[in-house]
């Protein structure tokens, strides 16, 4: 009895000590609501498949050779071709009105579009453009500069007949820095540029500053140029910047080529077991691959206010993150998960995008390139997708640590590699709309490349129907995506020409 009591007492004491030490060794378990970090439980609780009936059938799917042939067939010519040369010969002004600086926030693709607009603003004002300054992204904390991402000399050379561009300001204007504008109100800073401002707005509000001080700094600048009522030569200039002048630095292009080559020819990757495994499954669609942008990071998941099957811990973690980042002000949060899904406002989970691809006819020999910075939930969340597509690769699986050394920890450079590989894929698909999706849809449309646009509303409704059989699901998916695989869609008013390049950037014939 005494032995039992002594043992129990010691056990109780040890348990008490463990509980006291737990907050020290695992502080994230006890994170207060005012912090942005989710509870560690949200990473431990691997979400179970939400569509197990469909998943079971998808894992046993059989795809005919005819289906495979149709899937991989390139798009037929649609009567449109790239066309960025203006009918008006572009000339530089005899005298520059001054220097234009722009400070760009957002991620890589948002910055890319803003760079194009900055060139147009410089053209409108007969100004000299200073290589754009890229703000540190608050989500990814990446301090990569324009020169780190894009080939500056190539950029300047391609546009040399359109505008004057300098890498830095002359000494007498070197005071005009980001830090200078952060410490007070400055007469040379324009911060009132409205979203989609017109050419007249820039002539009325920025040109006088240029003429008075020789310099004007516009911040913020994202989405500060209208898409409508611009002369054709300015629209063509936008297209020229986006599709011709913005080339990634050589080491990004080189790594991108390495990844593409290894995706197309697995034998170029080291490891006999890997080669043997691939050679057995690598049949239909040989030499081809799908690039999947799995936009499922913590930011996206929290902002959507949807339920992703991670239980109470995940709901709490996302709610906490929402509160800290947006003070809880997320429009979607006033709707139920069912309402959001039926309206197509929930990003597809890795499981759901896998079911979509399987229903479209991609089999388990499909080469899949995962173009994503970080997936919320990690490998536990991706595992279902991997079970459907075992030949799924990403930057880490395709390239060694040494080969990735120059991009390690740099979100913008990682995104640039994904962009490059995605542009060279046979088929591109994104799990939800966003800047990467929009940029890629437009760029691939420009070159008539196959791009699948998920029908979010249809898929939301299908996934809500828990009684749907696999044949019914497959038929609905195939029918609902017949005209969403790269067909030309003409730009409508107020729409972005970076997503809809026809007719502004393309010609018929």
């Amino acid at each position: 009895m005494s032995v039992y009591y002594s043992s129990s007492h010691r056990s109780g004491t040890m348990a008490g000590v463990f509980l006291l030490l737990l907050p020290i060794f695992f502080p994230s378990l006890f994170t207060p609501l005012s912090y942005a970090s989710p509870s560690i439980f949200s990473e431990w609780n691997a979400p179970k498949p939400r569509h197990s009936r469909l998943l079971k059938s998808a894992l046993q799917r059989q795809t005919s050779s005819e289906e495979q042939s149709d899937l991989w067939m390139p798009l037929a010519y649609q009567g449109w071709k790239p066309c960025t040369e203006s009918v008006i010969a572009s000339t530089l002004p005899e005298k520059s009105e001054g220097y234009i600086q722009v400070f760009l926030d957002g991620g890589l693709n948002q910055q890319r579009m803003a760079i194009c607009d900055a060139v147009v603003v410089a053209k409108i004002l007969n100004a000299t453009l200073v290589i754009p300054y890229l703000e540190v992204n608050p989500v990814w904390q990446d301090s990569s500069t324009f020169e780190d991402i894009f080939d500056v000399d190539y950029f300047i050379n391609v546009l040399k007949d359109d505008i004057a561009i300098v890498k830095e300001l002359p000494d007498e204007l070197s005071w005009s820095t980001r830090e200078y504008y952060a410490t007070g109100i400055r007469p040379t800073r324009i911060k009132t540029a409205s979203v989609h401002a017109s050419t007249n707005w820039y002539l009325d509000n920025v040109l006088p500053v240029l003429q008075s001080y020789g310099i004007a700094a516009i911040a913020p600048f994202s989405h500060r140029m209208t898409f409508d009522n611009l002369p054709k030569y300015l629209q063509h200039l936008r297209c020229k910047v986006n599709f011709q002048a913005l080339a990634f630095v050589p080491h990004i292009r080189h790594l991108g080529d390495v990844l593409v080559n290894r995706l197309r020819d697995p034998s170029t990757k080291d490891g006999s077991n890997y080669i043997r495994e691939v050679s057995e499954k690598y049949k239909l669609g040989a030499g081809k691959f799908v690039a999947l942008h799995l936009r499922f990071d913590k930011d996206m998941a929290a902002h959507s206010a949807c339920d992703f099957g991670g239980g109470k811990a995940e709901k709490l973690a996302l709610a906490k993150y929402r509160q800290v980042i947006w003070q809880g002000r997320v429009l979607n949060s006033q709707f139920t998960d069912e309402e959001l899904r039926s309206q197509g406002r929930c990003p597809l989970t890795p499981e759901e995008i896998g079911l979509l691809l399987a229903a479209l006819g991609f089999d388990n020999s499909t080469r899949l390139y995962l173009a994503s910075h970080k997936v919320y939930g990690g490998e536990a969340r991706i595992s279902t997708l991997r079970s459907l597509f075992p030949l799924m690769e990403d930057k880490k699986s395709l390239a060694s640590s040494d080969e990735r050394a120059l991009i390690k920890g740099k979100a913008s450079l990682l995104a640039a590699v994904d962009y490059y590989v995605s542009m060279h894929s046979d088929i591109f698909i994104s799990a939800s709309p966003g800047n990467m999706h929009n940029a890629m849809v437009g760029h691939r449309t420009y070159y008539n490349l196959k791009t699948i646009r998920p029908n979010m509303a249809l898929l939301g409704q299908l996934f809500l129907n828990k009684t749907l059989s696999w044949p019914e699901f497959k038929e609905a998916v195939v029918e609902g995506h017949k005209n969403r695989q790269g067909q030309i869609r003409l730009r409508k008013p107020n729409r972005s020409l970076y997503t809809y390049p026809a007719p502004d950037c393309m010609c018929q014939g």
Side-chain angles (χ1 to χ4, degrees):
M1 182 73 172
S2 61
V3 173
Y4 176 77
Y5 174 80
S6 176
S7 175
S8 298
H9 180 71
R10 284 196 301 270
S11 298
T13 301
M14 291 300 294
V17 172
F18 177 75
L19 287 173
L20 287 173
L21 294 176
L22 196 57
I24 298 173
F25 291 105
F26 301 99
S28 55
L29 287 172
F30 300 90
T31 303
L33 288 176
S34 60
Y35 284 72
S37 300
S39 162
I40 198 168
F41 284 128
S42 65
E43 304 299 329
W44 287 353
N45 289 353
K48 296 178 181 178
R50 305 192 75 190
H51 313 288
S52 53
R53 292 176 70 253
L54 292 176
L55 180 61
K56 183 178 179 181
S57 298
L59 289 168
Q60 300 170 350
R61 68 195 186 278
Q62 298 291 327
T63 307
S64 68
S65 298
E66 185 179 354
E67 281 182 290
Q68 287 286 290
S69 178
D70 290 342
L71 274 175
W72 294 109
M73 186 176 294
L75 285 175
Y77 179 61
Q78 300 182 67
W80 291 86
K81 60 184 180 181
C83 182
T84 58
E85 294 303 319
S86 175
V87 292
I88 302 174
S90 189
T91 56
L92 292 174
E94 292 183 8
K95 180 176 179 290
S96 171
E97 294 287 354
Y99 294 91
I100 284 289
Q101 282 181 298
V102 290
F103 299 91
L104 314 182
D105 54 13
L108 173 68
N109 296 294
Q110 191 172 342
Q111 290 171 338
R112 183 188 184 100
M113 297 171 195
I115 291 166
C116 300
D117 289 347
V119 170
V120 173
V121 169
K123 184 70 175 178
I124 292 169
L125 301 175
N126 285 334
T128 299
L129 178 68
V130 183
I131 289 295
Y133 178 90
L134 309 186
E135 301 274 18
V136 175
N137 188 293
V139 176
W140 305 121
Q141 292 297 310
D142 186 358
S143 57
S144 297
T145 65
F146 186 104
E147 293 89 339
D148 291 330
I149 304 169
F150 300 106
D151 189 328
V152 177
D153 292 331
Y154 181 81
F155 178 76
I156 294 173
N157 185 59
V158 170
L159 299 172
K160 67 181 186 299
D161 296 327
D162 299 291
I163 65 167
I165 304 173
V166 294
K167 295 180 182 180
E168 55 187 29
L169 288 167
D171 291 342
E172 63 268 23
L173 294 174
S174 60
W175 49 263
S176 184
T177 64
R178 187 68 185 90
E179 292 72 27
Y180 172 75
Y181 294 109
T183 56
I185 298 173
R186 311 295 185 184
T188 52
R189 178 186 175 184
I190 291 91
K191 58 185 299 186
T192 57
S194 60
V195 174
H196 299 166
S198 67
T199 55
N200 286 337
W201 188 93
Y202 283 99
L203 291 169
D204 294 341
N205 294 276
V206 183
L207 185 57
V209 176
L210 273 177
Q211 292 171 333
S212 297
Y213 299 96
I215 187 169
I218 310 174
F221 186 72
S222 181
H223 306 302
R224 305 295 160 170
M225 170 60 63
T226 181
F227 286 113
D228 300 313
N229 302 316
L230 281 181
K232 283 187 176 181
Y233 79 94
L234 290 179
Q235 296 287 55
H236 284 159
L237 180 56
R238 257 178 165 164
C239 306
K240 183 176 182 179
V241 181
N242 193 41
F243 301 125
Q244 294 181 23
L246 283 175
F248 294 124
V249 291
H251 77 82
I252 288 178
R253 301 199 306 269
H254 173 72
L255 180 57
D257 286 334
V258 167
L259 300 184
V260 170
N261 289 337
R262 290 173 184 173
L263 284 161
R264 296 205 181 283
D265 182 7
S267 65
T268 61
K269 182 174 179 177
D270 296 333
S272 57
N273 290 335
Y274 176 88
I275 295 170
R276 185 159 50 249
E277 175 191 347
V278 170
S279 64
E280 293 173 0
K281 299 179 180 179
Y282 195 57
K283 300 171 184 176
L284 295 169
K288 301 181 185 296
F289 71 96
V290 177
L292 165 62
H293 181 233
L294 191 55
R295 191 178 181 225
F296 200 78
D297 53 60
K298 181 171 63 176
D299 200 59
M300 179 70 178
H303 195 271
S304 70
C306 300
D307 179 11
F308 299 107
K312 291 182 179 179
E314 183 174 83
K315 287 183 181 179
L316 175 62
L318 294 178
K320 286 162 61 179
Y321 185 81
R322 252 193 316 274
Q323 187 60 40
V324 172
I325 301 299
W326 304 290
Q327 292 73 51
R329 294 192 296 269
V330 175
L331 180 63
N332 284 359
S333 61
Q334 59 188 282
F335 299 97
T336 66
D337 182 71
E338 288 75 16
E339 289 171 332
L340 292 172
R341 290 190 180 281
S342 63
Q343 296 167 19
R345 294 165 69 176
C346 291
L348 299 177
T349 64
E351 176 190 2
E352 289 168 344
I353 196 72
L355 290 171
L356 167 61
L357 290 169
L360 288 171
F362 293 100
D363 64 15
N364 64 2
S365 70
T366 300
R367 307 283 295 162
L368 204 61
Y369 176 77
L370 196 59
S372 293
H373 176 63
K374 188 176 182 180
V375 175
Y376 181 64
E379 184 58 35
R381 183 82 69 178
I382 300 174
S383 59
T384 307
L385 174 63
R386 196 180 299 281
S387 69
L388 289 166
F389 297 97
L391 302 185
M392 184 169 68
E393 306 278 9
D394 58 20
K395 293 177 286 293
K396 287 186 177 180
S397 67
L398 286 169
S400 68
S401 180
D402 288 343
E403 289 173 313
R404 293 181 282 108
L406 292 176
I407 65 170
K408 186 177 181 180
K410 301 284 188 179
S412 293
L413 301 187
L414 292 165
V417 171
D418 283 338
Y419 192 104
Y420 186 91
V421 174
S422 295
M423 272 304 298
H424 288 77
S425 66
D426 299 277
I427 300 170
F428 174 82
I429 183 169
S430 181
S432 64
N435 289 321
M436 172 71 165
H437 168 90
N438 294 339
M440 195 56 55
V441 165
H443 210 152
R444 290 177 66 88
T445 295
Y446 185 75
Y447 289 110
N448 199 46
L449 301 173
K450 185 171 282 192
T451 308
I452 298 173
R453 295 182 299 112
N455 188 329
M456 302 297 286
L458 170 67
L459 292 167
Q461 293 161 20
L462 292 177
F463 286 129
L464 283 171
N465 186 346
K466 300 302 181 183
T467 64
L468 209 60
S469 68
W470 177 253
E472 291 170 330
F473 176 77
K474 181 178 172 65
E475 182 181 0
V477 165
V478 171
E479 186 63 31
H481 290 82
K482 279 185 176 178
N483 297 313
R484 303 178 68 90
Q485 301 192 28
Q487 289 81 1
I488 294 283
R489 295 176 295 158
L490 299 182
R491 188 179 73 84
K492 296 179 181 178
N494 299 318
R495 296 290 184 90
S496 169
L497 62 76
Y498 305 121
T499 306
Y500 306 95
D504 302 273
C505 307
M506 304 180 77
C507 303
Q508 286 183 296

